[in-house]
Amino acid sequence: NAGVTQTPKFQVLKTGQSMTLQCAQDMNHEYMSWYRQDPGMGLRLIHYSVGAGITDQGEVPNGYNVSRSTTEDFPLRLLSAAPSQTSVYFCASSYAGQGFYEQFFGPGTRLTVL
Amino acid sequence: GIQVEQSPPDLILQEGANSTLRCNFSDSVNNLQWFHQNPWGQLINLFYIPSGTKQNGRLSATTVATERYSLLYISSSQTTDSGVYFCAVGVTDKLIFGTGTRLQVFP
């Protein structure tokens, strides 16, 4: 049982480039979400999904796209990277509604946009 | 939206000391979790505690939902306790994080 896994661990992009951060979980959790953490701050919700085929926006969704074609995977796409997107990105999953159930987090992806 | 405030923002302790971290929230919540972010950035679940008291070794937590606060107690602190402690509250389908308490434990 690997829990929540994220790839890559580190990434450097140039402004305007696009990329996809991968997230997978093997706990058969319905809910998955993406957060970003900026220096000295708590985590802020980007997008979340309540099940395969269903996604919704969080606090800071601009510049990011998500899709959920399977229960296990929830990739986060940066369409045109900007320096303001330099951050650490965490993926999380839970059995059901993240407002109600315990959340489990992946190890994070540290992204730098030059 | 709901506000989640943690205090103190910074805490410096000598090994063996006890401490209490506080989390206040401005509205009713469905759940509350405490996390430890270690110096390598990993987020570790400490407690899932929407109400009541739980203990796990040297750590314990109490949430008084009616008064909108939660406390995390660390007893006999160790250098491995260093890092940032976050509380997060659940509201409908969202988990909202506080800004954290940074703890440094020196030998």
Side-chain angles (χ1 to χ4, degrees):
Chain A
N1 190 334
V4 181
T5 58
Q6 292 183 235
T7 56
K9 287 188 169 55
F10 301 94
Q11 183 69 49
V12 179
L13 294 177
K14 293 182 180 178
T15 297
Q17 287 184 312
S18 62
M19 78 160 295
T20 299
L21 308 184
Q22 301 292 344
C23 174
Q25 52 90 12
D26 62 358
M27 297 175 281
N28 202 31
H29 284 170
E30 288 296 321
Y31 275 62
M32 296 185 73
S33 50
W34 278 101
Y35 295 83
R36 60 178 287 172
Q37 184 180 28
D38 299 315
M41 296 181 67
L43 279 69
R44 292 183 293 169
L45 183 64
I46 304 172
H47 285 286
Y48 65 101
S49 168
V50 303
I54 306 170
T55 64
D56 206 345
Q57 297 181 347
E59 297 174 76
V60 287
N62 293 339
Y64 307 95
N65 269 2
V66 292
S67 59
R68 183 98 178 270
S69 55
T70 67
T71 298
E72 294 77 19
D73 300 298
F74 190 43
L76 178 72
R77 297 182 185 86
L78 279 69
L79 307 173
S80 177
S84 60
Q85 293 179 304
T86 294
S87 190
V88 181
Y89 291 84
F90 289 96
C91 178
S93 74
S94 64
Y95 172 70
Q98 60 186 321
F100 295 88
Y101 290 87
E102 186 175 8
Q103 289 287 292
F104 296 90
F105 282 83
T109 293
R110 188 174 296 272
L111 175 68
T112 302
V113 182
L114 302 176
Chain B
I2 191 169
Q3 303 298 312
V4 183
E5 296 178 351
Q6 292 186 243
S7 59
D10 295 281
L11 191 55
I12 300 173
L13 299 175
Q14 194 157 24
E15 212 168 21
N18 302 329
S19 61
T20 300
L21 282 59
R22 187 176 180 103
C23 173
N24 291 334
F25 42 98
S26 60
D27 206 344
S28 299
V29 298
N30 300 312
N31 80 38
L32 187 142
Q33 291 184 235
W34 282 97
F35 297 91
H36 175 216
Q37 188 167 39
N38 65 23
W40 295 270
Q42 186 181 8
L43 275 168
I44 301 162
N45 288 35
L46 296 177
F47 293 102
Y48 170 72
I49 185 165
S51 63
T53 297
K54 290 185 178 179
Q55 180 154 8
N56 184 1
R58 296 180 296 104
L59 273 61
S60 65
T62 295
T63 297
V64 184
T66 53
E67 298 187 20
R68 299 180 184 168
Y69 73 89
S70 183
L71 302 173
L72 177 68
Y73 305 95
I74 305 174
S75 65
S76 303
S77 58
Q78 301 176 358
T79 56
T80 52
D81 294 331
S82 296
V84 183
Y85 289 80
F86 290 104
C87 72
V89 299
V91 182
T92 59
D93 276 331
K94 298 181 173 63
L95 196 65
I96 307 299
F97 280 76
T99 52
T101 292
R102 182 174 299 275
L103 174 64
Q104 297 179 72
V105 181
F106 291 96

